[in-house]
Amino acid sequence: EVQLVESGGGLVQPGRSLKLSCAASGFTFSNYGMHWIRQAPTKGLEWVASISPSGGSTYYRDSVKGRFTISRDNAKSTLYLQMDSLRSEDTATYYCATRAFAYWGQGTLVTVSS
Amino acid sequence: DIQMTQSPPSLSASLGDKVTITCQASQNINKYIAWYQQKPGKAPRQLIRYTSTLVSGTPSRFSGSGSGRDYSFSISNVESEDIASYYCLQYDNLPYTFGAGTKLELK
């Protein structure tokens, strides 16, 4: 059974950093691209970033380019999202997903506020 | 960027009704559209991928169709467990984009 478990969310001040993790199990992690998607409170879904199976290619939405870094450790079957220079508009539940967005984790809430 | 125009934003239905949600892409997305159901406090659940392929476990009352820029998602015989928000996602081109969502409520 495919399982994705996010962690690392919390309350952080504007301008600070936070690193999210997504632990994967139930499939061959190194064979699949991985994605981060977020959802601001009471809002819709927004794609954030994607990474290729090897980690050699990464893609970001414009609003997070230069501030967020997606990475993966295939030996640990774990996906990461390093979020720097956080802004209030980054407040959201962050989900990881895989296999053409077929499988999603339960999400982790990031709140950016002073 | 490909814009996904999803309508209607909200829908009121009676049990047993058929409802349809549409998503229009700003350009051809080659059938790379998926549909999701999301209940409050839960992660989205994929119901349909590649326009019309039901994901394992999706009841047969759900269906999808379309091509080019225009796609639709239907629920025949709405049941109480279908009350949720629904989103489309185009995964043909980066940046991947979602529709704004449709909230299905009981009349």
Side-chain angles (χ1 to χ4, degrees):
Chain A
E1 178 195 3
V2 172
Q3 280 204 318
L4 299 170
V5 180
E6 302 94 337
S7 60
L11 174 62
V12 61
Q13 293 179 328
R16 303 299 290 267
S17 299
L18 205 59
K19 187 171 186 176
L20 307 182
S21 299
C22 169
S25 61
F27 66 105
T28 305
F29 182 75
S30 58
N31 285 354
Y32 294 94
M34 297 293 297
H35 316 280
W36 287 102
I37 303 101
R38 68 185 179 185
Q39 186 171 35
T42 73
K43 301 296 184 183
L45 299 162
E46 182 175 82
W47 170 78
V48 175
S50 296
I51 188 168
S52 63
S54 67
S57 296
T58 56
Y59 312 90
Y60 302 92
R61 69 178 301 104
D62 285 347
S63 61
V64 308
K65 274 181 192 172
R67 300 190 299 122
F68 289 12
T69 303
I70 188 173
S71 63
R72 62 191 297 160
D73 184 335
N74 284 346
K76 295 182 178 179
S77 295
T78 302
L79 173 72
Y80 302 101
L81 186 67
Q82 175 69 43
M83 303 186 294
D84 299 324
S85 303
L86 281 161
R87 305 168 180 168
S88 58
E89 55 263 38
D90 296 319
T91 293
T93 297
Y94 285 73
Y95 298 99
C96 62
T98 190
R99 297 178 67 169
F101 299 94
Y103 298 95
W104 295 53
Q106 85 289 349
T108 188
L109 177 61
V110 173
T111 304
V112 184
S113 174
S114 53
Chain B
D1 297 5
I2 297 175
Q3 309 304 315
M4 298 297 287
T5 303
Q6 184 173 342
S7 62
S10 62
L11 206 45
S12 184
S14 300
L15 297 179
D17 280 355
K18 178 177 180 178
V19 298
T20 298
I21 299 167
T22 63
C23 270
Q24 183 176 66
S26 56
Q27 66 187 66
N28 181 8
I29 56 171
N30 300 300
K31 296 193 170 185
Y32 286 101
I33 186 169
W35 293 92
Y36 294 83
Q37 177 191 69
Q38 187 179 32
K39 296 185 178 180
K42 300 293 187 181
R45 169 195 170 199
Q46 190 181 73
L47 299 178
I48 290 175
R49 61 179 173 84
Y50 196 59
T51 296
S52 59
T53 301
L54 265 62
V55 169
S56 176
T58 301
S60 59
R61 63 181 181 276
F62 293 93
S63 64
S65 65
S67 63
R69 295 175 55 208
D70 297 307
Y71 299 85
S72 63
F73 167 85
S74 294
I75 312 172
S76 59
N77 300 313
V78 167
E79 297 189 5
S80 56
E81 65 185 35
D82 301 334
I83 300 310
S85 293
Y86 293 86
Y87 295 89
C88 63
L89 163 68
Q90 73 79 16
Y91 57 106
D92 184 46
N93 278 315
L94 285 158
Y96 305 122
T97 45
F98 291 87
T102 296
K103 188 172 184 179
L104 177 60
E105 297 173 321
L106 271 181
K107 196 179 289 182

